[in-house]
Amino acid sequence: MSFNTVSVIGMGYIGLPTAAMFASRRVNVIGVDINQHVVDTINNGEIHIVEPGLDMIVHAAVSEGYLKAVTKPEPADAFLIAVPTPFKDSESSVPEPDLSYIESAAKAIAPVLKKGNIVILESTSPVGATEQMMGWLAEAREDLTFPKLVGDKADINIAHCPERVLPGHVVRELVDNDRVIGGMSKRCSERAIELYKIFVEGECIVTNSRTAEMAKLTENSCRDVQIAFANELSIICDKLDIDVWELISLANRHPRINILQPGPGVGGHCIAVDPWFIVSKAPDEAKIIHTARKVNDFKPEWVLNKVKVCIAEFLQAYPGKTAREVTIACYGLAFKPDIDDLRESPALRITEQIVKFHSGPVLAVEPNISKGDMNIKNVNLVELTEAQSEADIHIVLVDHKEFKNSSVKSEYLIDTKGIW
Ligand code: SAJ
């Protein structure tokens, strides 16, 4: 095997499962992370993220000696970079991608690179990021050659192979999904395929790095646009007094229509972020993609307005009560069903905003998070049945499986997922 040691930089939601997959195929894997706690957790055979099936694979890989974690890169045959690519904190209406984590990773591995290595960027990136990463490596290692100038003859191979796995199904999708291989030369792509074929059973399809970057951004933007269509329909239907869920299920009976589901907004660290990478590179051209982002970002605000109207209607119906005596229950805090991930969660944002304008008690139900692990100011985390019996106003924000079989009949119900 030409890859005896593989190093994965970034032990997060993508890097750790990828490292574990190589290790499960008896390849020596060095996982690198700047966070000492993450490194210690992995070296104890444990994981710091929630992903079904991953804990057992990591535990076996560490105890059999195939996976170890470190804070500083060590020499290896292949390096996979799986670090975050957030956007910069700025006032601009179009957020700019922040490549500083990729830059740090490139600069950290540069000293240990040697002739014959391959460096693969897996992080979702704006178009041109792989070339930029190669630039950082070349700057740090003038003694090595890179594919931009010498193509197949380069000492170091470079490729962009974006991750495309769905949180909650990562272990299966890493193996089964097709993989886009964006090599910077023919040789780079061949070597990348050889590497992924260690565990990937899906097809490996070759393209160049820029197209690979754009392919990943296109997939997530396409989903964002489709969700925006559903969210816009839900707002139109509310105005026209039509049940949007019935409407979508009727339209979806057409053989060529498949509308997605509306919700309280779009969350997570991918769909709500990646379309901006296209918009920031082509602001005048990316009109639909930009509008979809705005439609989805507006949805939590729209839900909050519905909540305010609902409180006013409740107080009108019960004139003896004051707002302080009105209990609101929010069902779900995660960014999507049946996970514990709160990153960029519209449900969490809505709940936090309600607390700010509502003077009465706010309850929240989140079956995937234990009471001790979560502390939102002025929100009382309670069991489903307690919220259902105590609250005056009910707001469904996530369609967790626990909620689906247990509805509430109330005039004061805002169901953003159409399950009750
Ligand atoms: N959502 C809706 N309505 C729907 C579907 C989703 O409102 O019909 C919302 C969810 O509630 C959530 C958000 O969209 O807030 C995103 O959820 P998701 O399940 O669509 O996607 P992610 O962010 O968990 O994972 C996506 C996936 N991309 C695509 O499906 C095109 C995954 O394959 C990518 O690997 C991942 O982004 C990533 O890492 O980029």
Side-chain angles (χ1 to χ4, degrees):
M1 183 160 45
S2 68
F3 296 105
N4 293 315
T5 307
V6 172
S7 182
V8 182
I9 319 297
M11 290 284 95
Y13 282 81
I14 301 301
L16 179 56
T18 305
M21 280 301 154
F22 280 113
S24 73
R25 302 301 192 269
R26 298 178 179 269
V27 174
N28 291 311
V29 181
I30 304 169
V32 184
D33 202 286
I34 50 173
N35 185 326
Q36 186 67 51
H37 169 70
V38 168
V39 166
D40 293 342
T41 306
I42 295 168
N43 286 334
N44 282 334
E46 291 162 11
I47 60 174
H48 61 290
I49 54 176
V50 174
E51 186 55 51
L54 183 64
D55 49 351
M56 276 161 56
I57 304 173
V58 169
H59 184 76
V62 173
S63 54
E64 287 168 19
Y66 288 106
L67 173 62
K68 70 164 184 179
V70 294
T71 51
K72 261 186 81 168
E74 295 177 9
D77 301 311
F79 293 87
L80 286 93
I81 296 183
V83 295
T85 39
F87 39 64
K88 288 181 195 156
D89 224 357
S90 82
E91 296 296 299
S92 155
S93 60
V94 176
E96 290 284 324
D98 174 3
L99 299 189
S100 61
Y101 292 88
I102 298 179
E103 183 177 1
S104 302
K107 288 181 174 166
I109 63 169
V112 298
L113 276 188
K114 53 187 193 310
K115 191 172 173 179
N117 281 170
I118 182 165
V119 181
I120 297 180
L121 180 62
E122 282 212 3
S123 314
T124 305
S125 301
V127 172
T130 312
E131 287 155 326
Q132 171 75 76
M133 178 190 75
M134 185 176 58
W136 285 315
L137 293 173
E139 241 170 66
R141 292 297 302 270
E142 287 176 356
D143 56 319
L144 294 169
T145 58
F146 290 84
K148 176 127 184 154
L149 292 179
V150 295
D152 278 349
K153 292 199 187 74
D155 293 334
I156 305 294
N157 294 133
I158 306 274
H160 179 56
C161 306
E163 63 80 14
R164 303 154 97 190
V165 288
L166 193 69
H169 302 264
V170 169
V171 171
R172 181 179 51 78
E173 290 207 356
L174 270 177
V175 175
D176 290 351
N177 286 6
D178 292 342
R179 198 97 211 188
V180 174
I181 307 287
M184 296 204 73
S185 73
K186 190 163 164 276
R187 179 83 189 119
C188 296
S189 297
E190 285 166 1
R191 293 268 292 151
I193 292 175
E194 193 189 334
L195 178 66
Y196 281 111
K197 276 297 168 189
I198 292 173
F199 69 82
V200 171
E201 287 170 17
E203 218 178 303
C204 291
I205 304 128
V206 172
T207 180
N208 57 49
S209 63
R210 291 176 78 84
T211 311
E213 287 158 349
M214 189 64 180
K216 171 60 196 265
L217 301 179
T218 300
E219 290 159 14
N220 281 356
S221 300
C222 178
R223 195 154 170 85
D224 197 41
V225 169
Q226 290 178 353
I227 298 169
F229 183 75
N231 276 333
E232 186 164 291
L233 275 181
S234 73
I235 294 172
I236 295 169
C237 284
D238 186 70
K239 184 170 185 175
L240 303 183
D241 201 18
I242 290 168
D243 179 342
V244 69
W245 313 99
E246 185 191 1
L247 174 84
I248 290 175
S249 81
L250 290 173
N252 281 350
R253 283 175 175 260
H254 184 288
R256 283 172 293 284
I257 299 298
N258 188 10
I259 302 168
L260 292 181
Q261 301 300 307
V266 167
H269 37 288
C270 308
I271 309 269
V273 175
D274 301 351
W276 288 118
F277 293 180
I278 298 180
V279 179
S280 73
K281 288 269 172 188
D284 295 334
E285 295 77 10
K287 295 193 177 71
I288 293 177
I289 297 171
H290 194 169
T291 305
R293 270 291 67 242
K294 289 202 274 192
V295 169
N296 285 334
D297 273 354
F298 168 69
K299 194 67 195 285
E301 227 174 284
W302 184 84
V303 175
L304 284 166
N305 279 331
K306 296 286 294 176
V307 175
K308 286 176 187 162
V309 171
C310 193
I311 296 170
E313 284 174 358
F314 185 89
L315 289 173
Q316 219 170 16
Y318 297 91
K321 283 208 174 199
T322 65
R324 274 181 183 284
E325 293 162 311
V326 179
T327 302
I328 299 181
C330 297
Y331 300 88
L333 296 170
F335 89 83
K336 66 179 204 174
D338 308 325
I339 59 165
D340 70 335
D341 196 338
L342 299 177
R343 287 180 294 174
E344 315 290 333
S345 170
L348 178 62
R349 218 167 82 214
I350 289 168
T351 307
E352 287 171 337
Q353 289 300 321
I354 291 173
V355 173
K356 283 191 186 152
F357 66 71
H358 180 57
S359 54
V362 178
L363 314 176
V365 186
E366 181 41 81
N368 300 293
I369 294 179
S370 60
K371 232 176 165 177
D373 289 346
M374 147 135 257
N375 186 14
I376 318 176
K377 214 170 161 218
N378 299 329
V379 173
N380 195 3
L381 208 61
V382 298
E383 296 296 321
L384 176 61
T385 45
E386 186 181 341
Q388 286 175 326
S389 60
E390 294 292 310
D392 303 300
I393 295 176
H394 306 267
I395 307 163
V396 179
L397 295 169
V398 188
D399 45 341
H400 286 312
K401 61 180 184 309
E402 290 83 353
F403 301 163
K404 285 183 179 162
N405 303 321
S406 157
S407 70
V408 157
K409 295 261 169 294
S410 167
E411 258 182 75
Y412 304 98
L413 165 67
I414 297 170
D415 184 357
T416 69
K417 293 306 301 180
I419 54 171
W420 289 354

